[in-house]
Protein backbone atom coordinates (compact mmCIF):
# COMPACT_ATOMS: atom_id res chain seq x y z
CA UNK A 1 0.00 0.00 0.00
CA UNK A 2 1.42 3.41 -0.89
CA UNK A 3 0.66 6.67 0.85
CA UNK A 4 1.64 10.18 -0.02
CA UNK A 5 2.08 10.79 3.67
CA UNK A 6 3.86 8.14 5.68
CA UNK A 7 1.86 7.99 8.90
CA UNK A 8 4.84 6.42 10.71
CA UNK A 9 6.78 9.63 9.99
CA UNK A 10 3.90 11.74 11.28
CA UNK A 11 3.67 9.75 14.49
CA UNK A 12 7.43 9.75 14.98
CA UNK A 13 7.59 13.55 14.70
CA UNK A 14 4.76 13.84 17.22
CA UNK A 15 6.35 11.28 19.54
CA UNK A 16 9.70 13.06 19.50
CA UNK A 17 8.10 16.19 20.89
CA UNK A 18 6.85 14.47 24.04
CA UNK A 19 8.98 11.35 24.56
CA UNK A 20 12.82 11.43 24.49
CA UNK A 21 13.82 10.19 21.04
CA UNK A 22 10.16 9.37 20.41
CA UNK A 23 10.48 5.96 22.07
CA UNK A 24 10.22 4.37 25.50
CA UNK A 25 13.16 2.00 24.95
CA UNK A 26 16.15 3.17 22.89
CA UNK A 27 16.57 0.36 20.32
CA UNK A 28 13.05 1.00 19.01
CA UNK A 29 14.19 4.35 17.59
CA UNK A 30 16.05 2.72 14.64
CA UNK A 31 19.14 4.80 15.45
CA UNK A 32 21.48 1.95 14.47
CA UNK A 33 19.88 1.38 11.07
CA UNK A 34 18.44 4.82 10.27
CA UNK A 35 14.92 5.54 9.06
CA UNK A 36 11.60 5.79 10.83
CA UNK A 37 10.42 3.22 13.36
CA UNK A 38 7.21 1.47 12.44
CA UNK A 39 4.37 2.42 14.78
CA UNK A 40 2.33 -0.68 15.41
CA UNK A 41 -1.44 -0.43 15.16
CA UNK A 42 -2.31 -4.03 15.83
CA UNK A 43 -0.94 -7.53 15.58
CA UNK A 44 -2.31 -11.01 14.99
CA UNK A 45 -0.49 -14.33 14.82
CA UNK A 46 2.86 -13.88 13.06
CA UNK A 47 2.06 -10.40 11.73
CA UNK A 48 1.65 -6.82 12.76
CA UNK A 49 0.35 -3.79 10.87
CA UNK A 50 1.96 -0.38 11.02
CA UNK A 51 0.42 3.09 10.93
CA UNK A 52 0.03 2.83 7.13
CA UNK A 53 -1.75 -0.51 7.51
CA UNK A 54 1.25 -2.21 5.92
CA UNK A 55 1.68 -5.80 7.10
CA UNK A 56 4.95 -7.21 8.41
CA UNK A 57 5.99 -10.73 9.30
CA UNK A 58 7.25 -10.24 12.83
CA UNK A 59 10.56 -11.86 13.83
CA UNK A 60 10.92 -9.79 16.99
CA UNK A 61 7.76 -10.79 18.83
CA UNK A 62 8.12 -8.02 21.40
CA UNK A 63 11.81 -9.04 21.77
CA UNK A 64 10.92 -12.60 22.69
CA UNK A 65 7.75 -12.85 24.78
CA UNK A 66 5.29 -13.61 21.96
CA UNK A 67 6.23 -17.27 21.57
CA UNK A 68 2.67 -18.20 20.62
CA UNK A 69 2.36 -15.30 18.21
CA UNK A 70 0.07 -12.35 18.78
CA UNK A 71 -3.46 -12.66 20.10
CA UNK A 72 -3.52 -16.39 20.85
CA UNK A 73 -7.20 -17.11 21.67
CA UNK A 74 -6.54 -18.99 24.94
CA UNK A 75 -4.29 -16.19 26.18
CA UNK A 76 -6.70 -13.44 25.15
CA UNK A 77 -9.51 -15.28 26.94
CA UNK A 78 -7.45 -15.68 30.12
CA UNK A 79 -6.53 -12.00 30.12
CA UNK A 80 -10.12 -10.90 29.48
CA UNK A 81 -11.36 -13.06 32.33
CA UNK A 82 -8.68 -11.74 34.67
CA UNK A 83 -9.38 -8.10 33.82
CA UNK A 84 -13.01 -8.51 34.83
CA UNK A 85 -11.92 -9.82 38.22
CA UNK A 86 -9.68 -6.82 38.93
CA UNK A 87 -6.44 -5.26 37.71
CA UNK A 88 -4.35 -5.16 40.85
CA UNK A 89 -4.85 -5.84 44.52
CA UNK A 90 -1.50 -5.46 46.26
CA UNK A 91 -2.46 -8.63 48.10
CA UNK A 92 -1.63 -12.25 47.26
CA UNK A 93 -3.66 -14.28 44.76
CA UNK A 94 -3.95 -17.97 43.95
CA UNK A 95 -2.80 -17.30 40.39
CA UNK A 96 0.66 -16.28 41.63
CA UNK A 97 1.01 -19.70 43.28
CA UNK A 98 -0.15 -21.40 40.10
CA UNK A 99 2.38 -19.53 37.98
CA UNK A 100 5.18 -20.24 40.49
CA UNK A 101 4.23 -23.94 40.50
CA UNK A 102 4.10 -24.02 36.71
CA UNK A 103 7.59 -22.50 36.41
CA UNK A 104 9.12 -24.68 39.14
CA UNK A 105 7.64 -27.87 37.66
CA UNK A 106 9.99 -27.62 34.66
CA UNK A 107 13.02 -25.98 36.30
CA UNK A 108 14.81 -28.49 38.56
CA UNK A 109 17.34 -25.84 39.65
CA UNK A 110 14.64 -23.83 41.43
CA UNK A 111 12.68 -24.62 44.61
CA UNK A 112 11.22 -21.14 44.99
CA UNK A 113 10.61 -18.15 42.79
CA UNK A 114 9.82 -14.48 43.34
CA UNK A 115 7.72 -12.68 40.75
CA UNK A 116 8.55 -9.13 39.68
CA UNK A 117 7.57 -6.87 36.77
CA UNK A 118 10.60 -6.58 34.46
CA UNK A 119 13.77 -8.42 33.54
CA UNK A 120 15.77 -5.47 34.81
CA UNK A 121 14.12 -5.76 38.19
CA UNK A 122 14.65 -9.51 38.29
CA UNK A 123 18.34 -9.28 37.33
CA UNK A 124 19.00 -6.50 39.80
CA UNK A 125 17.26 -8.42 42.58
CA UNK A 126 19.10 -11.67 41.77
CA UNK A 127 22.40 -9.80 42.00
CA UNK A 128 21.40 -8.32 45.35
CA UNK A 129 20.40 -11.78 46.56
CA UNK A 130 23.70 -13.29 45.40
CA UNK A 131 25.56 -10.57 47.26
CA UNK A 132 23.35 -10.88 50.33
CA UNK A 133 23.56 -14.67 50.45
CA UNK A 134 27.36 -14.77 50.07
CA UNK A 135 28.19 -11.62 52.01
CA UNK A 136 30.44 -10.61 49.08
CA UNK A 137 30.32 -7.53 46.82
CA UNK A 138 32.32 -8.35 43.70
CA UNK A 139 30.96 -10.23 40.74
CA UNK A 140 31.74 -11.17 37.16
CA UNK A 141 29.73 -10.35 34.08
CA UNK A 142 30.67 -10.77 30.42
CA UNK A 143 31.08 -8.26 27.64
CA UNK A 144 28.06 -8.33 25.30
CA UNK A 145 25.67 -9.81 27.88
CA UNK A 146 22.81 -7.57 28.94
CA UNK A 147 21.17 -8.07 32.31
CA UNK A 148 18.90 -5.04 32.41
CA UNK A 149 19.82 -1.45 33.18
CA UNK A 150 20.54 -1.54 36.92
CA UNK A 151 23.53 0.69 37.77
CA UNK A 152 25.97 -2.06 38.72
CA UNK A 153 25.29 -3.87 35.44
CA UNK A 154 25.88 -0.99 33.00
CA UNK A 155 29.59 -1.61 32.80
CA UNK A 156 32.30 -2.17 30.25
CA UNK A 157 35.65 -3.79 30.85
CA UNK A 158 38.40 -1.82 32.56
CA UNK A 159 41.98 -1.85 31.36
CA UNK A 160 42.92 -5.23 32.81
CA UNK A 161 41.86 -8.06 35.06
CA UNK A 162 43.07 -6.27 38.17
CA UNK A 163 40.89 -3.25 37.42
CA UNK A 164 37.16 -3.28 37.60
CA UNK A 165 34.72 -1.83 35.07
CA UNK A 166 33.77 1.60 33.78
CA UNK A 167 30.14 2.77 33.54
CA UNK A 168 28.53 2.61 30.07
CA UNK A 169 25.91 5.20 30.98
CA UNK A 170 26.07 8.73 32.28
CA UNK A 171 24.56 8.92 35.74
CA UNK A 172 26.23 5.75 36.99
CA UNK A 173 28.87 6.77 39.54
CA UNK A 174 32.19 4.93 39.04
CA UNK A 175 32.02 3.79 42.68
CA UNK A 176 28.85 1.85 41.90
CA UNK A 177 30.56 -0.32 39.30
CA UNK A 178 33.84 -0.73 41.13
CA UNK A 179 32.81 -4.25 42.14
CA UNK A 180 31.83 -5.35 38.64
CA UNK A 181 34.46 -7.33 36.76
CA UNK A 182 33.76 -7.57 33.02
CA UNK A 183 35.36 -10.47 31.15
CA UNK A 184 35.33 -11.72 27.58
CA UNK A 185 32.61 -14.28 26.84
CA UNK A 186 33.86 -17.81 26.15
CA UNK A 187 37.38 -16.98 27.36
CA UNK A 188 38.29 -19.77 29.82
CA UNK A 189 41.76 -18.43 30.52
CA UNK A 190 40.50 -14.99 31.56
CA UNK A 191 37.89 -16.59 33.77
CA UNK A 192 40.52 -18.71 35.51
CA UNK A 193 42.80 -15.72 36.01
CA UNK A 194 39.96 -13.64 37.42
CA UNK A 195 39.05 -16.36 39.92
CA UNK A 196 42.70 -16.80 40.89
CA UNK A 197 42.86 -13.08 41.67
CA UNK A 198 39.41 -12.43 43.17
CA UNK A 199 37.67 -15.79 43.62
CA UNK A 200 37.12 -15.58 47.39
CA UNK A 201 35.53 -12.13 47.01
CA UNK A 202 33.15 -12.99 44.17
CA UNK A 203 29.45 -13.13 45.01
CA UNK A 204 28.54 -14.51 41.60
CA UNK A 205 29.14 -15.00 37.94
CA UNK A 206 26.20 -13.64 35.95
CA UNK A 207 25.78 -14.94 32.43
CA UNK A 208 23.40 -15.22 29.50
CA UNK A 209 23.90 -18.90 28.59
CA UNK A 210 23.04 -18.14 24.98
CA UNK A 211 23.83 -14.47 24.68
CA UNK A 212 20.92 -12.90 22.78
CA UNK A 213 22.06 -9.37 23.38
CA UNK A 214 25.01 -9.89 21.07
CA UNK A 215 22.71 -11.48 18.51
CA UNK A 216 23.18 -15.19 19.21
CA UNK A 217 26.36 -16.47 20.81
CA UNK A 218 26.39 -19.73 22.74
CA UNK A 219 28.55 -20.16 25.80
CA UNK A 220 30.72 -23.13 24.81
CA UNK A 221 30.29 -26.26 26.90
CA UNK A 222 33.90 -26.18 28.23
CA UNK A 223 33.46 -22.52 29.17
CA UNK A 224 30.19 -23.15 30.98
CA UNK A 225 31.66 -26.20 32.72
CA UNK A 226 34.53 -24.05 34.00
CA UNK A 227 32.09 -21.34 35.17
CA UNK A 228 30.27 -23.96 37.21
CA UNK A 229 33.43 -25.56 38.61
CA UNK A 230 35.04 -22.29 39.63
CA UNK A 231 31.85 -20.95 41.23
CA UNK A 232 31.53 -24.15 43.25
CA UNK A 233 35.21 -24.16 44.21
CA UNK A 234 35.18 -20.55 45.41
CA UNK A 235 31.68 -20.45 46.94
CA UNK A 236 30.36 -18.00 44.34
CA UNK A 237 26.90 -18.36 42.84
CA UNK A 238 26.34 -19.07 39.17
CA UNK A 239 23.49 -16.81 38.07
CA UNK A 240 21.83 -17.70 34.76
CA UNK A 241 20.12 -14.77 33.12
CA UNK A 242 17.48 -16.59 31.12
CA UNK A 243 15.22 -13.58 30.62
CA UNK A 244 15.52 -14.17 26.89
CA UNK A 245 16.31 -17.90 26.67
CA UNK A 246 13.89 -18.98 29.42
CA UNK A 247 11.05 -21.08 27.93
CA UNK A 248 12.22 -19.80 24.53
CA UNK A 249 15.00 -22.22 23.56
CA UNK A 250 13.47 -25.24 25.32
CA UNK A 251 10.79 -25.94 27.92
CA UNK A 252 13.55 -26.44 30.50
CA UNK A 253 15.29 -23.28 29.20
CA UNK A 254 18.98 -23.06 28.23
CA UNK A 255 20.05 -24.69 31.49
CA UNK A 256 18.40 -27.94 30.39
CA UNK A 257 20.66 -27.93 27.30
CA UNK A 258 23.81 -27.52 29.41
CA UNK A 259 22.55 -30.25 31.74
CA UNK A 260 22.52 -32.60 28.74
CA UNK A 261 26.14 -31.77 27.95
CA UNK A 262 27.49 -31.47 31.52
CA UNK A 263 26.20 -34.22 33.85
CA UNK A 264 24.48 -32.80 36.94
CA UNK A 265 24.76 -29.22 35.71
CA UNK A 266 22.49 -26.62 37.32
CA UNK A 267 22.90 -22.89 37.93
CA UNK A 268 22.43 -21.51 41.46
CA UNK A 269 20.04 -18.71 40.58
CA UNK A 270 17.94 -18.18 37.46
CA UNK A 271 16.50 -14.95 36.15
CA UNK A 272 13.41 -15.15 33.92
CA UNK A 273 11.25 -12.66 32.03
CA UNK A 274 9.86 -12.20 28.52
CA UNK A 275 8.10 -15.53 27.69
CA UNK A 276 6.88 -16.14 31.25
CA UNK A 277 4.73 -13.01 30.98
CA UNK A 278 3.46 -13.82 27.48
CA UNK A 279 3.75 -10.12 26.58
CA UNK A 280 2.65 -8.64 29.91
CA UNK A 281 5.09 -7.01 32.38
CA UNK A 282 6.22 -10.02 34.36
CA UNK A 283 9.61 -11.47 35.30
CA UNK A 284 11.02 -13.64 38.07
CA UNK A 285 14.10 -14.95 39.79
CA UNK A 286 14.50 -18.17 41.68
CA UNK A 287 16.77 -20.84 43.05
CA UNK A 288 17.23 -23.29 45.92
CA UNK A 289 15.14 -22.85 49.06
CA UNK A 290 18.12 -22.02 51.29
CA UNK A 291 19.11 -19.10 49.08
CA UNK A 292 15.60 -17.87 48.29
CA UNK A 293 14.75 -17.82 52.01
CA UNK A 294 17.29 -15.02 52.35
CA UNK A 295 14.65 -12.79 50.72
CA UNK A 296 12.41 -10.49 52.76
CA UNK A 297 10.12 -11.12 54.61
CA UNK A 298 12.01 -14.30 55.65
CA UNK A 299 15.54 -13.01 55.35
CA UNK A 300 17.67 -9.87 55.24
CA UNK A 301 17.68 -9.23 51.45
CA UNK A 302 15.07 -6.58 50.72
CA UNK A 303 13.01 -6.52 47.53
CA UNK A 304 9.40 -5.46 46.89
CA UNK A 305 6.95 -4.32 44.20
CA UNK A 306 3.51 -2.69 44.19
CA UNK A 307 2.54 -4.48 40.98
CA UNK A 308 4.55 -7.70 41.52
CA UNK A 309 2.57 -10.82 40.66
CA UNK A 310 -0.04 -8.65 38.96
CA UNK A 311 -3.26 -10.66 38.40
CA UNK A 312 -3.60 -9.79 34.70
CA UNK A 313 0.07 -10.40 33.95
CA UNK A 314 0.07 -13.73 35.79
CA UNK A 315 -3.06 -14.80 33.89
CA UNK A 316 -1.32 -14.00 30.62
CA UNK A 317 1.88 -15.79 31.63
CA UNK A 318 0.06 -18.83 32.95
CA UNK A 319 -2.07 -19.22 29.82
CA UNK A 320 1.08 -18.91 27.69
CA UNK A 321 3.03 -21.50 29.69
CA UNK A 322 0.10 -23.93 29.53
CA UNK A 323 0.10 -23.73 25.74
CA UNK A 324 3.84 -24.24 25.34
CA UNK A 325 3.79 -27.28 27.62
CA UNK A 326 1.68 -29.17 25.11
CA UNK A 327 3.46 -32.15 23.53
CA UNK A 328 5.46 -31.40 20.40
CA UNK A 329 5.38 -27.62 20.88
CA UNK A 330 9.14 -27.07 20.95
CA UNK A 331 9.85 -29.64 18.26
CA UNK A 332 7.56 -27.78 15.86
CA UNK A 333 8.94 -24.39 16.82
CA UNK A 334 12.56 -25.51 16.55
CA UNK A 335 11.92 -27.13 13.19
CA UNK A 336 10.45 -23.93 11.73
CA UNK A 337 13.23 -21.82 13.18
CA UNK A 338 15.82 -24.16 11.64
CA UNK A 339 13.96 -23.95 8.33
CA UNK A 340 14.41 -20.18 8.51
CA UNK A 341 18.14 -20.16 9.29
CA UNK A 342 19.03 -22.89 6.80
CA UNK A 343 16.92 -21.12 4.16
CA UNK A 344 18.63 -17.78 4.82
CA UNK A 345 22.04 -19.42 4.72
CA UNK A 346 21.31 -21.09 1.38
CA UNK A 347 19.97 -17.82 -0.06
CA UNK A 348 23.07 -15.92 1.09
CA UNK A 349 25.35 -18.64 -0.34
CA UNK A 350 23.62 -18.40 -3.71
CA UNK A 351 24.69 -14.79 -3.94
CA UNK A 352 28.10 -15.20 -2.35
CA UNK A 353 27.18 -13.16 0.75
CA UNK A 354 29.28 -14.19 3.76
CA UNK A 355 26.76 -15.52 6.24
CA UNK A 356 26.48 -17.74 9.31
CA UNK A 357 23.44 -18.53 11.43
CA UNK A 358 22.39 -20.54 14.45
CA UNK A 359 19.18 -21.29 16.30
CA UNK A 360 17.82 -23.08 19.34
CA UNK A 361 14.11 -23.62 19.90
CA UNK A 362 12.37 -20.46 18.76
CA UNK A 363 15.40 -18.16 18.98
CA UNK A 364 17.84 -17.48 16.17
CA UNK A 365 20.72 -15.28 15.14
CA UNK A 366 22.62 -14.63 11.96
CA UNK A 367 25.81 -12.81 11.08
CA UNK A 368 27.17 -11.28 7.89
CA UNK A 369 30.39 -13.23 8.37
CA UNK A 370 31.32 -16.74 7.39
CA UNK A 371 31.98 -18.07 10.91
CA UNK A 372 29.78 -17.81 13.99
CA UNK A 373 31.44 -15.37 16.41
CA UNK A 374 32.33 -16.46 19.94
CA UNK A 375 32.43 -13.08 21.69
CA UNK A 376 31.28 -9.48 21.53
CA UNK A 377 34.39 -8.03 19.86
CA UNK A 378 33.92 -10.41 16.92
CA UNK A 379 30.17 -9.71 16.65
CA UNK A 380 30.93 -6.01 16.42
CA UNK A 381 33.19 -6.58 13.41
CA UNK A 382 29.99 -7.03 11.34
CA UNK A 383 29.79 -4.68 8.36
CA UNK A 384 27.24 -2.22 9.71
CA UNK A 385 26.38 -0.64 6.35
CA UNK A 386 25.72 -4.05 4.84
CA UNK A 387 23.52 -5.08 7.76
CA UNK A 388 21.54 -1.86 7.40
CA UNK A 389 20.93 -2.53 3.71
CA UNK A 390 19.75 -6.02 4.57
CA UNK A 391 17.51 -4.68 7.33
CA UNK A 392 15.86 -2.04 5.15
CA UNK A 393 15.59 -4.40 2.19
CA UNK A 394 13.65 -6.83 4.36
CA UNK A 395 11.60 -4.12 6.02
CA UNK A 396 10.52 -2.61 2.68
CA UNK A 397 9.34 -6.09 1.66
CA UNK A 398 7.35 -6.60 4.86
CA UNK A 399 9.79 -8.63 6.96
CA UNK A 400 10.54 -7.16 10.37
CA UNK A 401 13.80 -8.19 12.05
CA UNK A 402 15.58 -6.45 14.92
CA UNK A 403 16.82 -2.98 13.93
CA UNK A 404 20.36 -3.62 15.22
CA UNK A 405 22.95 -6.22 14.28
CA UNK A 406 23.55 -7.28 17.89
CA UNK A 407 19.99 -8.46 18.58
CA UNK A 408 18.57 -11.99 18.33
CA UNK A 409 15.46 -12.93 16.37
CA UNK A 410 12.40 -14.97 17.29
CA UNK A 411 10.00 -17.29 15.53
CA UNK A 412 6.58 -17.96 17.05
CA UNK A 413 4.25 -20.94 16.87
CA UNK A 414 2.02 -18.82 14.59
CA UNK A 415 4.65 -18.59 11.86
CA UNK A 416 3.76 -21.10 9.16
CA UNK A 417 6.14 -22.90 6.86
CA UNK A 418 4.74 -20.67 4.11
CA UNK A 419 5.63 -17.54 6.12
CA UNK A 420 9.18 -18.82 6.53
CA UNK A 421 9.47 -19.77 2.84
CA UNK A 422 8.22 -16.33 1.87
CA UNK A 423 10.75 -14.65 4.17
CA UNK A 424 13.55 -16.71 2.62
CA UNK A 425 12.39 -15.72 -0.89
CA UNK A 426 12.35 -12.07 0.15
CA UNK A 427 15.82 -12.39 1.70
CA UNK A 428 17.13 -13.95 -1.53
CA UNK A 429 16.10 -10.78 -3.40
CA UNK A 430 17.82 -8.61 -0.85
CA UNK A 431 21.01 -10.71 -0.81
CA UNK A 432 21.19 -10.26 -4.59
CA UNK A 433 21.36 -6.51 -3.97
CA UNK A 434 23.89 -6.49 -1.15
CA UNK A 435 26.44 -8.95 -2.50
CA UNK A 436 29.94 -7.49 -2.65
C1 LIG B 1 15.43 -8.34 27.98
C2 LIG B 1 16.51 -8.79 28.88
C3 LIG B 1 16.68 -8.25 30.18
C4 LIG B 1 15.90 -7.05 30.65
O1 LIG B 1 14.53 -7.29 30.71
P1 LIG B 1 13.51 -6.03 30.70
O2 LIG B 1 12.19 -6.66 30.91
O3 LIG B 1 13.69 -5.37 29.38
O4 LIG B 1 13.92 -5.13 31.81
C5 LIG B 1 17.62 -8.81 31.00
N1 LIG B 1 18.38 -9.83 30.60
C6 LIG B 1 18.27 -10.37 29.38
C7 LIG B 1 19.12 -11.53 29.00
C8 LIG B 1 17.35 -9.84 28.47
O5 LIG B 1 17.26 -10.37 27.24
Amino acid sequence: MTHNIDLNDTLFERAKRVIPGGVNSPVRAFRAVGGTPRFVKRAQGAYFWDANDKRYTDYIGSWGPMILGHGHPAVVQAVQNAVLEGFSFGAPTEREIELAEEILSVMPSMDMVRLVSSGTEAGMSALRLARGATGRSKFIKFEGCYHGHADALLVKAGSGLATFGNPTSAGVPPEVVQHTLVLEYNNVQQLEEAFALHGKELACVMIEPIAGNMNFVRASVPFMKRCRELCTQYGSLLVFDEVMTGFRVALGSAQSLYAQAIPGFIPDLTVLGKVIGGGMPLAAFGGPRAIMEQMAPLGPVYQAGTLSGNPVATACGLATLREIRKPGFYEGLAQKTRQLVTGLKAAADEHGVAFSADSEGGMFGFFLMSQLPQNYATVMKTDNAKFNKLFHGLLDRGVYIAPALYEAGFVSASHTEADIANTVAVAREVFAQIKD
Side-chain angles (χ1 to χ4, degrees):
M1 205 167 182
T2 53
H3 284 262
N4 294 329
I5 299 170
D6 186 326
L7 295 175
N8 295 301
D9 287 335
T10 312
L11 288 174
F12 196 35
E13 289 311 311
R14 199 173 133 205
K16 284 191 284 193
R17 284 197 287 276
V18 290
I19 299 169
V23 293
N24 285 312
S25 197
V27 73
R28 296 179 197 170
F30 276 27
R31 294 292 278 251
V33 291
T36 305
R38 299 305 185 258
F39 281 72
V40 180
K41 253 177 148 172
R42 66 193 171 89
Q44 185 58 48
Y47 314 115
F48 74 81
W49 287 262
D50 76 357
N52 300 325
D53 290 315
K54 175 172 164 156
R55 192 186 87 167
Y56 297 83
T57 306
D58 181 10
Y59 290 102
I60 301 183
S62 184
W63 301 92
M66 310 314 296
I67 193 165
L68 299 173
H70 299 281
H72 188 285
V75 179
V76 171
Q77 190 63 58
V79 169
Q80 283 177 336
N81 293 347
V83 163
L84 294 175
E85 290 168 0
F87 296 179
S88 186
F89 314 119
T93 61
E94 185 176 2
R95 211 173 287 132
E96 292 161 83
I97 315 171
E98 289 182 279
L99 182 60
E101 287 170 347
E102 191 78 21
I103 293 170
L104 298 178
S105 70
V106 293
M107 303 286 278
S109 67
M110 293 158 62
D111 299 324
M112 297 181 112
V113 62
R114 169 72 47 96
L115 303 180
V116 297
S117 300
S118 76
T120 291
E121 201 189 344
M124 172 187 90
S125 306
L127 175 60
R128 184 179 303 142
L129 174 57
R131 285 168 153 175
T134 57
R136 301 172 179 182
S137 301
K138 293 178 178 168
F139 72 99
I140 288 173
K141 83 175 281 291
F142 299 98
E143 199 163 25
C145 290
Y146 178 65
H147 305 295
H149 62 87
D151 283 356
L153 292 161
L154 291 181
V155 197
K156 62 175 184 285
S159 52
L161 281 183
T163 65
F164 282 70
N166 300 313
T168 52
S169 167
V172 176
E175 303 78 50
V176 175
V177 299
Q178 69 182 9
H179 300 299
T180 311
L181 188 54
V182 184
L183 305 183
E184 188 176 68
Y185 200 71
N186 276 328
N187 188 329
V188 173
Q189 193 191 332
Q190 254 192 27
L191 183 75
E192 287 176 342
E193 286 169 17
F195 266 94
L197 277 172
H198 308 289
K200 294 203 174 91
E201 302 161 279
L202 290 172
C204 67
V205 170
M206 197 163 192
I207 186 167
E208 279 185 82
I210 299 174
N213 288 288
M214 47 174 155
N215 199 328
F216 189 106
V217 182
R218 294 172 190 266
S220 75
V221 169
F223 179 68
M224 190 59 84
K225 187 160 176 281
R226 218 48 203 124
C227 283
R228 179 64 277 174
E229 287 166 355
L230 287 165
C231 282
T232 304
Q233 182 184 338
Y234 285 90
S236 314
L237 302 181
L238 180 58
V239 181
F240 255 39
D241 182 348
E242 297 226 50
V243 171
M244 190 183 292
T245 53
F247 295 87
R248 171 47 81 173
V249 299
L251 185 59
S253 306
Q255 52 197 266
S256 69
L257 306 173
Y258 287 93
Q260 283 167 23
I262 308 165
F265 179 91
I266 50 164
D268 296 300
L269 292 177
T270 299
V271 187
L272 295 167
K274 298 191 170 111
V275 170
I276 64 162
M280 288 273 179
L282 200 159
F285 60 100
R289 192 169 305 278
I291 300 178
M292 291 305 289
E293 287 186 345
Q294 299 294 312
M295 297 301 301
L298 296 178
V301 180
Y302 190 71
Q303 183 275 333
T306 301
L307 297 176
S308 290
N310 176 271
V312 184
T314 47
C316 185
L318 200 52
T320 301
L321 295 191
R322 285 180 177 157
E323 288 301 315
I324 68 185
R325 289 200 70 155
K326 291 183 176 167
F329 179 86
Y330 284 92
E331 288 78 357
L333 185 65
Q335 199 263 322
K336 278 187 285 196
T337 311
R338 271 194 304 270
Q339 183 196 340
L340 177 68
V341 297
T342 51
L344 291 176
K345 169 78 178 133
D349 285 352
E350 268 174 50
H351 294 289
V353 174
F355 192 88
S356 55
D358 196 2
S359 72
E360 192 66 53
M363 176 174 164
F364 68 90
F366 66 78
F367 301 91
L368 294 172
M369 49 180 79
S370 50
Q371 299 251 308
L372 288 171
Q374 296 303 308
N375 57 46
Y376 184 68
T378 316
V379 172
M380 295 317 277
K381 285 183 186 149
T382 304
D383 181 341
N384 213 341
K386 201 168 181 181
F387 175 82
N388 292 351
K389 277 190 214 155
L390 174 63
F391 171 80
H392 282 291
L394 293 172
L395 191 69
D396 288 348
R397 291 166 177 80
V399 173
Y400 190 67
I401 63 164
L405 60 88
Y406 47 81
E407 302 283 358
F410 304 97
V411 172
S412 80
S414 294
H415 289 75
T416 61
E417 288 190 10
D419 289 325
I420 307 270
N422 178 57
T423 296
V424 169
V426 160
R428 189 175 290 114
E429 274 176 43
V430 181
F431 285 133
Q433 292 181 354
I434 68 165
K435 67 183 167 198
D436 311 286

